[in-house]
Amino acid sequence: MVSTTEVAKHAGVSQTTVSRVLNRPEQVKKETYDKVMQALAELDYGNSSIANAQPVERPKQIAVLFSKDCAADEFAHLREFAESAQAYGYQLTGHALTGSESAEAGKSLVNGVAGVIGIGNLPIELKEYINETSSFLQAEVTSNEMKPFDGRKAAFLATSHLAEKDHQQIAWVGRDLPDSGERLQGYYEALAQHQLKLRKKRIHSTQNPADFDAIAAELRTFKKPTSAFVAASYEDGLKLFNSLKSAGFKVPKDISIVVVGEPDEEGDVELTAVKPSAAAQPFAQQVVERLLQQIDGKETELPYAEDELQLNKGVTVKKYKERQKSKA
């Protein structure tokens, strides 16, 4: 008769895991369960009814473990984790480790859960146990996997958005900010993509607040008026907005603005902006979604990895032809 040790070796798991599949399958993640069941069938363990058994319904409970070295502000995420889990039909419990728990006491905290979120440095033995019995995700890993902000691509999208609104004279304002891509380069590439003429007089570099007032005053001297701006940063866009307003221009009726990036603090003006899509999704929600993807055995790449930028359609952009009609 085939032993559980042989099944474990065949499946590439521990004997303890095989035992849990046979006796407490609700504690085993689906991927491991399926692997062991396949090994049982291939080795003809017991009778065939085991191999044909229907998978036990997965437990709808997850846990968050805070290590003893967690800062006080880390615990503030617990409510957000619970609300995010509840939105997907899961119950979430939180546990703060003191470091004095026995190995068995630590394991008892995660018995019967479908997945565990770890925050801080959890004991190695406990992490190994969790990985054998359920899905595990270190919260810090999720935050580290966020893609860096691609300023070049963001500037390209901002300029393209204005071009698609039929703006022909699109200017740039602000210092070029190097990050994972040169923002000004993205502006140039979008103009070329939409077959718009690059006019050097519409590339405005700024050093101090007075420069924005000078830009607003200069606009009236162009034979072909600037109808839209791409600002290198939210801060630059806000300064430009205020300068245009002081000079008597109306945004977006006279001039449209799209900014690259997001504000450090919320401003009074809802500027149209290209920003990281992750900014719209709370950290706790990102972590919970990632863990549930692991539990379900789906692709573990984060949703925003495919589309890391989004256009926040504020109130500072208007279709150029509509503006012309309204002036007529």
Side-chain angles (χ1 to χ4, degrees):
M1 183 175 179
V2 177
S3 68
T4 55
T5 302
E6 292 174 291
V7 174
K9 184 177 180 180
H10 189 78
V13 299
S14 68
Q15 185 178 5
T16 302
T17 299
V18 175
S19 178
R20 287 199 181 93
V21 169
L22 295 172
N23 300 293
R24 304 184 69 179
E26 74 280 356
Q27 292 187 2
V28 186
K29 59 184 179 181
K30 185 178 185 303
E31 179 182 354
T32 302
Y33 176 90
D34 292 342
K35 185 188 297 183
V36 172
M37 292 303 293
Q38 182 178 351
L40 291 169
E42 291 175 353
L43 296 177
D44 196 23
Y45 179 89
N47 61 64
S48 60
S49 63
I50 293 178
N52 295 325
Q54 293 298 317
V56 175
E57 184 178 354
R58 310 306 298 165
K60 305 289 282 187
Q61 187 174 5
I62 57 180
V64 178
L65 297 184
F66 296 91
S67 70
K68 65 176 183 178
D69 59 351
C70 279
D73 58 354
E74 296 284 0
F75 296 97
H77 290 300
L78 181 58
R79 181 175 179 178
E80 298 170 15
F81 282 127
E83 291 175 347
S84 297
Q86 189 173 13
Y88 289 95
Y90 280 77
Q91 295 298 314
L92 180 140
T93 57
H95 306 281
L97 303 180
T98 64
S100 60
E101 296 91 354
S102 66
E104 290 304 315
K107 294 175 182 178
S108 67
L109 297 176
V110 295
N111 278 341
V113 301
V116 178
I117 296 168
I119 300 180
N121 297 313
L122 302 183
I124 295 176
E125 184 179 355
L126 179 57
K127 289 174 67 174
E128 290 176 347
Y129 173 80
I130 296 170
N131 279 317
E132 283 189 357
T133 60
S134 62
S135 295
F136 177 73
L137 178 68
Q138 191 70 35
E140 295 86 342
V141 172
T142 300
S143 62
N144 290 338
E145 287 182 352
M146 291 175 62
K147 284 191 174 183
F149 183 68
D150 191 335
R152 180 175 178 175
K153 182 178 180 181
F156 181 92
L157 294 176
T159 309
S160 294
H161 178 62
L162 291 169
E164 289 162 3
K165 293 292 184 180
D166 295 328
H167 290 276
Q168 299 293 312
Q169 306 299 330
I170 303 172
W172 171 273
V173 66
R175 294 179 294 108
D176 187 19
L177 301 173
D179 33 44
S180 61
E182 297 290 338
R183 302 186 182 194
L184 187 56
Q185 183 63 31
Y187 163 79
Y188 293 150
E189 291 171 354
L191 290 182
Q193 176 73 25
H194 294 276
Q195 299 182 339
L196 299 179
K197 188 172 182 179
L198 172 62
R199 301 180 185 275
K200 292 184 178 181
K201 288 186 177 181
R202 300 187 199 273
I203 311 299
H204 305 283
S205 178
T206 55
Q207 301 296 329
N208 55 68
D211 292 337
F212 292 92
D213 292 335
I215 292 170
E218 184 184 25
L219 293 182
R220 301 186 188 280
T221 66
F222 292 128
K223 292 182 179 180
K224 294 182 178 180
T226 296
S227 63
F229 279 93
V230 175
S233 68
Y234 198 99
E235 182 182 7
D236 287 335
L238 194 57
K239 290 178 180 177
L240 176 65
F241 177 90
N242 291 330
S243 292
L244 290 173
K245 183 178 179 181
S246 297
F249 290 98
K250 294 181 180 180
V251 179
K253 183 177 181 180
D254 298 328
I255 296 177
S256 293
I257 301 174
V258 180
V259 303
V260 176
E262 57 184 335
D264 294 330
E265 297 180 1
E266 290 297 329
D268 295 329
V269 180
E270 190 183 355
L271 296 173
T272 301
V274 176
K275 61 183 183 180
S277 61
Q281 185 183 43
F283 169 71
Q285 185 177 341
Q286 294 177 34
V287 175
V288 170
E289 284 189 1
R290 176 66 179 269
L291 178 65
L292 297 184
Q293 287 175 345
Q294 289 189 13
I295 292 172
D296 293 338
K298 296 178 180 178
E299 176 61 42
T300 57
E301 187 176 3
L302 293 176
Y304 57 83
E306 296 179 359
D307 186 14
E308 72 275 18
L309 298 174
Q310 69 175 20
L311 177 70
N312 173 39
K313 296 182 179 179
V315 296
T316 54
V317 171
K318 190 173 184 180
K319 193 175 178 65
Y320 181 71
K321 289 183 178 179
E322 292 177 357
R323 183 177 65 81
Q324 289 292 78
K325 291 179 182 178
S326 66
K327 292 182 66 175

